Amino acid sequence: MDLERVNRNGRTKRESWRTVLTLAYQSLGVVYGDLSTSPLYVYKSTFAEDIHHSETNEEIYGVLSFVFWTLTLIPLLKYVFIVLRADDNGEGGTFALYSLLCRHARVNSIPNCQLADEELSEYTRDGFVLLDKNSGSSLKSTLEKYRVLQRVLLVLALIGTCMVIGDGVLTPSISVFSAVSGLELSMSKEHHLYVQVPVACIILVFLFALQHYGTHRVGFLFAPIVITWLLCISAIGLYNIFHWNPCVYQALSPYYMYKFLKKTQRGGWMSLGGILLCITGSEAMFADLGHFSQLSIQIAFTFVVYPSLILAYMGQAAYLSKHHTIESDYHIGFYVSVPEKLRWPVLGIAILAAVVGSQAIITGTFSIIKQCSALGCFPRVKIVHTSSKIHGQIYIPEINWTLMLLCLAITVGFRDTKRLGNASGLAVITVMLVTTCLMSLVIVLCWHKSVILAICFIFFFGSIEALYFSASLIKFLEGAWVPIALSFIFLMVMYVWHYGTLKKYEFDVQSKVSINWLLGLGPTLGIVRVRGIGLIHTELVSGIPAIFSHFVTNLPAFHQVLVFLCIKSVPVPHVKPEERFLVGRVGPKEYRLYRCIARYGYRDVHKDDVEFEKDLVCSIAEFIRSEGPEYDTPLVQKEEFGTGIEGLEKNERMTVVGTSSTQLDGIKLREESDLSDTVGTSELREIRSPERPRKRVRFVLPDSPQIDRAAREELHELMEAREAGMAFILGHAYVRAKRGSSLIKRIVIDIGYDFLRRNSRGPNYALSIPHASTLEVGMIYHV
């Protein structure tokens, strides 16, 4: 089943219950693997050191009460019933919230945004308006006025993103390590680590080594594994409840939380760092929303995952309430409450469930890094799409092996659930705090609710999460430093890359060549024009880039058709194919200079080289056909915002053109080895190129409206240029801090950004554009 198609259609067409239940079933394997394995380590982490299991059972009842209400308030109330509604055209996650805010208040971090982007169909969906006069208008104007607030918002989103990446390191470690902890019951305390750590490492290496194959081949097994695991822990929970302590349900009362904190005091507060692990993986419900529907995720959690987890935790508490002689720092884990005859089968199921949960967070890490890269907040990396049918199944080699090495280092270095839990807990709760902060802004700016409601939201959920955050942060030296260190490194990488990219773009805008210079060169541009199409890559969406004057000055010849190509991301998850290109003309017609802006959403898949070439040529041909002799096509006024730079070209006319597959009544491009007549109807006319002993290219034109002579000649010339081939011309920028810059700026630009640029993928590799014939010309940028 095409999950993305179902999700998108579901927003405009009511989904059948069969579809919803199918998606709910599939979501169990993709979304809830991490959350469902939390019973493996919650009690063990909680009772590791700060509190001890006593005869009064006040500690175990208090922990159960905290677990119940935490699961009820955070995953169930906050995420299932509130946060899931804040989707970005069906997509979820930290960057989805940031993208929503970028569109409803002009706080976008992408420098080359245009007003034309606001006309995209996904930009203003769900009836949201860009200008409002409600109580949130003052907040919106404040955000748009002060650049420092925009930077704070960006840093906040990046912190949440970095913690998700950190969780991608910690979750596989703690899940797999806890799953194999059942081995400790069959050997002495002194020897179990010699077996447990190597086994966990072997499983982790195996898990990461299989990533490049993709999950679509074994993904059908994920849901049955997680369902089997949930049934297993709920059945064991029911058995323990009725066999050991049927009255354990009384501990669900909030009164036991008060008794717990009153007795344990500071130790109880510090133990909250272990309790919060019960909500590990809750963010996945929102982050993976793009693959499922909102209703399917709500049904799966409310009716399957939530009751199974509650029964599992109650069963463990019931068992422990009748067993007080267990060593609290060693055998108080999950497996001690499993009947002895079932421990080995349960161990096998737990390892499989841990692998499934780890797979979900690894795939999520790949996805969020792709989003960051698309929005200019992460260096370009190689992205491999492992499935042609399932959207979002990607593999990033550099990130995969980095995650594996970090996972192995943490597993071998910590070797116990306590410190792994401290590290994982801080990463989880930080992401939730960021989500709460961004959601409060979404409530005001996007949902147009009152500021008071947003304050109530952030006060209620923020207070709960801040309590857990403080309990995790206090354990900085006991493992909590790991997510902070990892997040700091990734945050520096992201911010340095974003800062350098922004400064480079500002230099491009300030160094644009005037149109008068171009007009002074004449139609030949002062050089020999040879056959072919030259694609000049630029980040600019208006004006003539300085790199072009550099080319004209240093090269003796240039192609007869020149295209200023800008491949940009916009703050929406997807751009419809019929809205893919913005095409315009630079200078008079006889110059044969065009501008083509290819727009992609941060979740879009870029086409391969051949398809991209065809779509690009067809979009220019369609622009020529529809332009008309008097330039009477609809205008798209081009402006940039977010950079604070003026002096834009006002004379460029831009037309929205879709890909060739969406132009049912437009020009069709056909490439053949011969010129046999394949179209015999009177409704189509053909413009053919002269006979040549090479690949033939032709445009198939609709019969109406009639095309004037000048447009036919221009199309003929474009067709000849296409036959001769395309060359991608790339300016290789060497960015340096300008003279007089501060020491920090010189370090950031000359060392940090330069290192990232030299070790990242170039545009011709990362953006899936033709790179067989690429010409690079170096140019120094002093920013």
Side-chain angles (χ1 to χ4, degrees):
M1 178 173 292
D2 188 343
L3 302 182
E4 180 191 11
R5 175 180 59 80
V6 171
N7 181 53
R8 289 186 185 178
N9 291 346
R11 301 185 60 82
T12 57
K13 180 181 177 180
R14 185 167 181 170
E15 296 175 334
S16 66
W17 277 107
R18 182 179 179 180
T19 301
V20 172
L21 294 178
T22 302
L23 289 176
Y25 167 76
Q26 293 175 338
S27 71
L28 291 171
V30 177
V31 178
Y32 298 108
D34 185 15
L35 184 61
S36 64
T37 55
S38 58
L40 287 170
Y41 44 79
V42 169
Y43 282 113
K44 189 170 184 177
S45 299
T46 304
F47 287 94
E49 186 176 275
D50 304 308
I51 58 175
H52 300 282
H53 187 32
S54 65
E55 296 284 345
T56 62
N57 286 330
E58 290 183 353
E59 293 84 1
I60 193 65
Y61 286 168
V63 170
L64 175 59
S65 185
F66 265 104
V67 167
F68 172 77
W69 287 105
T70 302
L71 278 171
T72 302
L73 295 177
I74 303 299
L76 185 62
L77 180 59
K78 176 187 170 183
Y79 279 97
V80 170
F81 293 112
I82 300 177
V83 176
L84 284 180
R85 295 180 59 238
D87 64 298
D88 183 12
N89 294 292
E91 298 292 339
T94 303
F95 258 93
L97 293 176
Y98 181 69
S99 175
L100 278 176
L101 295 173
C102 287
R103 300 208 304 272
H104 290 82
R106 289 184 176 176
V107 295
N108 199 358
S109 63
I110 303 176
N112 55 358
C113 282
Q114 305 165 263
L115 291 178
D117 298 337
E118 297 181 5
E119 302 300 324
L120 293 170
S121 57
E122 291 204 359
Y123 206 99
T124 56
R125 190 170 289 184
D126 296 332
F128 292 149
V129 292
L130 294 174
L131 298 176
D132 59 284
K133 298 182 179 179
N134 62 8
S135 58
S137 59
S138 58
L139 176 61
K140 175 184 174 182
S141 60
T142 302
L143 282 174
E144 293 176 350
K145 182 178 179 181
Y146 296 102
R147 295 293 298 275
V148 64
L149 295 180
Q150 298 176 21
R151 293 192 185 98
V152 169
L153 189 63
L154 173 63
V155 170
L156 187 65
L158 291 181
I159 289 174
T161 302
C162 291
M163 283 295 180
V164 171
I165 298 174
D167 198 26
V169 175
L170 297 166
T171 293
S173 299
I174 190 172
S175 296
V176 173
F177 190 84
S178 299
V180 300
S181 64
L183 298 172
E184 67 188 12
L185 296 179
S186 60
M187 60 189 68
S188 64
K189 181 178 180 180
E190 291 76 16
H191 295 91
H192 79 271
L193 284 178
Y194 293 107
V195 176
Q196 186 176 352
V197 175
V199 170
C201 291
I202 291 172
I203 295 174
L204 288 172
V205 171
F206 178 76
L207 173 64
F208 284 100
L210 292 179
Q211 292 302 309
H212 71 281
Y213 292 108
T215 59
H216 60 285
R217 291 183 176 90
V218 294
F220 67 95
L221 293 175
F222 285 1
I225 289 172
V226 175
I227 289 176
T228 303
W229 169 250
L230 290 174
L231 290 175
C232 178
I233 61 175
S234 57
I236 293 173
L238 282 171
Y239 168 79
N240 286 329
I241 291 171
F242 288 106
H243 186 267
W244 296 110
N245 189 357
C247 298
V248 72
Y249 69 90
Q250 297 177 356
L252 303 182
S253 170
Y255 174 68
Y256 284 90
M257 290 191 292
Y258 166 74
K259 292 180 65 177
F260 172 77
L261 292 176
K262 182 179 179 181
K263 178 179 180 180
T264 57
Q265 297 182 357
R266 187 176 187 274
W269 166 62
M270 294 180 67
S271 70
L272 294 179
I275 295 174
L276 75 86
L277 294 177
C278 70
I279 53 177
T280 300
S282 299
E283 187 74 21
M285 285 191 288
F286 186 44
D288 292 331
L289 181 60
H291 301 290
F292 306 96
S293 67
Q294 184 183 128
L295 182 59
S296 64
I297 291 181
Q298 291 173 331
I299 290 175
F301 181 80
T302 306
F303 296 103
V304 180
V305 179
Y306 177 74
S308 298
L309 290 176
I310 297 300
L311 288 175
Y313 287 116
M314 289 178 65
Q316 288 187 62
Y319 179 88
L320 294 174
S321 67
K322 299 299 181 181
H323 297 79
H324 303 94
T325 58
I326 301 173
E327 298 180 39
S328 61
D329 62 339
Y330 174 48
H331 279 169
I332 201 169
F334 167 78
Y335 291 101
V336 73
S337 63
V338 178
E340 190 171 353
K341 293 181 180 180
L342 299 177
R343 281 178 185 169
W344 286 106
V346 170
L347 175 63
I349 299 173
I351 292 175
L352 292 176
V355 169
V356 171
S358 301
Q359 176 61 56
I361 193 66
I362 293 170
T363 304
T365 303
F366 292 158
S367 178
I368 201 166
I369 287 178
K370 177 182 179 294
Q371 294 177 33
C372 292
S373 181
L375 295 177
C377 294
F378 198 86
R380 301 185 188 98
V381 291
K382 180 181 180 180
I383 298 175
V384 179
H385 295 273
T386 59
S387 174
S388 59
K389 298 180 180 179
I390 304 177
H391 174 77
Q393 293 291 340
I394 62 175
Y395 166 68
I396 305 177
E398 298 96 326
I399 302 300
N400 182 67
W401 302 121
T402 301
L403 291 178
M404 187 192 75
L405 292 177
L406 291 173
C407 278
L408 294 176
I410 291 173
T411 303
V412 174
F414 283 165
R415 289 176 293 179
D416 68 86
T417 309
K418 171 193 168 186
R419 287 184 290 178
L420 284 172
N422 293 339
S424 180
L426 184 62
V428 168
I429 202 63
T430 304
V431 176
M432 292 183 176
L433 270 173
V434 170
T435 300
T436 300
C437 295
L438 295 179
M439 267 301 302
S440 63
L441 294 176
V442 169
I443 289 173
V444 177
L445 297 177
C446 305
W447 293 354
H448 310 307
K449 304 297 182 181
S450 67
V451 177
I452 297 176
L453 183 62
I455 293 175
C456 293
F457 177 86
I458 195 171
F459 177 79
F460 180 74
F461 292 107
S463 300
I464 299 172
E465 291 161 358
L467 178 65
Y468 283 117
F469 180 79
S470 63
S472 296
L473 194 61
I474 201 67
K475 298 181 179 180
F476 180 83
L477 297 178
E478 301 174 25
W481 61 271
V482 171
I484 296 178
L486 291 175
S487 299
F488 180 78
I489 294 172
F490 280 107
L491 181 62
M492 288 297 101
V493 169
M494 289 181 177
Y495 200 80
V496 166
W497 180 261
H498 175 72
Y499 179 78
T501 304
L502 184 61
K503 288 299 178 183
K504 178 178 175 293
Y505 181 79
E506 290 178 354
F507 181 88
D508 277 333
V509 174
Q510 293 169 351
S511 304
K512 286 191 300 186
V513 179
S514 86
I515 191 69
N516 294 328
W517 173 84
L518 181 68
L519 296 175
L521 296 178
T524 64
L525 302 180
I527 54 177
V528 179
R529 302 292 289 270
V530 297
R531 294 185 69 230
I533 298 177
L535 301 178
I536 303 175
H537 179 263
T538 176
E539 300 294 333
L540 294 176
V541 293
S542 67
I544 303 170
I547 198 73
F548 177 68
S549 64
H550 193 65
F551 288 147
V552 172
T553 305
N554 292 277
L555 296 179
F558 231 97
H559 300 83
Q560 68 186 107
V561 175
L562 293 177
V563 181
F564 294 114
L565 175 63
C566 175
I567 301 178
K568 56 177 280 189
S569 295
V570 290
V572 294
H574 304 281
V575 175
K576 289 185 175 181
E578 55 266 29
E579 300 173 325
R580 177 74 66 211
F581 295 103
L582 280 176
V583 184
R585 190 185 300 280
V586 180
K589 276 189 175 184
E590 58 269 19
Y591 281 54
R592 300 300 190 253
L593 263 66
Y594 308 94
R595 184 183 310 282
C596 185
I597 302 172
R599 301 180 291 182
Y600 290 89
Y602 57 80
R603 300 274 300 194
D604 274 332
V605 176
H606 293 232
K607 286 190 174 182
D608 57 37
D609 300 351
V610 177
E611 286 298 318
F612 183 85
E613 286 184 23
K614 289 182 178 179
D615 285 342
L616 180 65
V617 175
C618 280
S619 67
I620 297 174
E622 183 63 26
F623 166 76
I624 295 171
R625 183 186 73 87
S626 62
E627 184 181 34
E630 300 180 358
Y631 300 92
D632 54 357
T633 54
L635 302 187
V636 176
Q637 188 64 38
K638 294 176 41 148
E639 294 185 19
E640 304 169 36
F641 55 83
T643 62
I645 299 172
E646 302 296 335
L648 306 176
E649 302 292 338
K650 299 293 186 182
N651 298 323
E652 293 186 25
R653 298 165 177 259
M654 302 297 291
T655 302
V656 177
V657 182
T659 59
S660 57
S661 60
T662 63
Q663 299 293 329
L664 300 179
D665 298 325
I667 291 181
K668 302 295 182 182
L669 177 67
R670 295 191 178 181
E671 299 179 347
E672 302 172 346
S673 57
D674 56 37
L675 292 175
S676 58
D677 191 2
T678 58
V679 180
T681 64
S682 60
E683 297 179 356
L684 297 178
R685 290 176 291 109
E686 299 178 4
I687 297 179
R688 297 172 182 250
S689 61
E691 294 288 330
R692 290 179 178 271
R694 57 187 303 175
K695 180 177 65 175
R696 307 303 184 194
V697 177
R698 64 180 180 176
F699 291 129
V700 181
L701 309 178
D703 188 56
S704 178
Q706 294 293 329
I707 300 177
D708 64 281
R709 183 188 181 97
R712 289 174 60 87
E713 292 178 355
E714 191 171 0
L715 286 172
H716 190 275
E717 190 170 342
L718 177 64
M719 186 170 54
E720 286 187 335
R722 170 59 178 157
E723 277 191 350
M726 303 179 73
F728 184 75
I729 303 161
L730 176 68
H732 195 79
Y734 296 89
V735 183
R736 295 290 182 269
K738 61 185 177 182
R739 185 173 299 177
S741 300
S742 65
L743 177 62
I744 296 178
K745 183 176 180 180
R746 291 201 302 270
I747 293 174
V748 169
I749 297 296
D750 295 346
I751 299 177
Y753 182 74
D754 185 65
F755 174 80
L756 294 176
R757 181 191 59 80
R758 286 187 286 107
N759 290 277
S760 65
R761 303 280 179 171
N764 60 328
Y765 200 108
L767 298 178
S768 297
I769 50 184
H771 54 274
S773 54
T774 301
L775 173 64
E776 285 191 274
V777 177
M779 187 173 179
I780 298 178
Y781 284 53
H782 292 284
V783 299

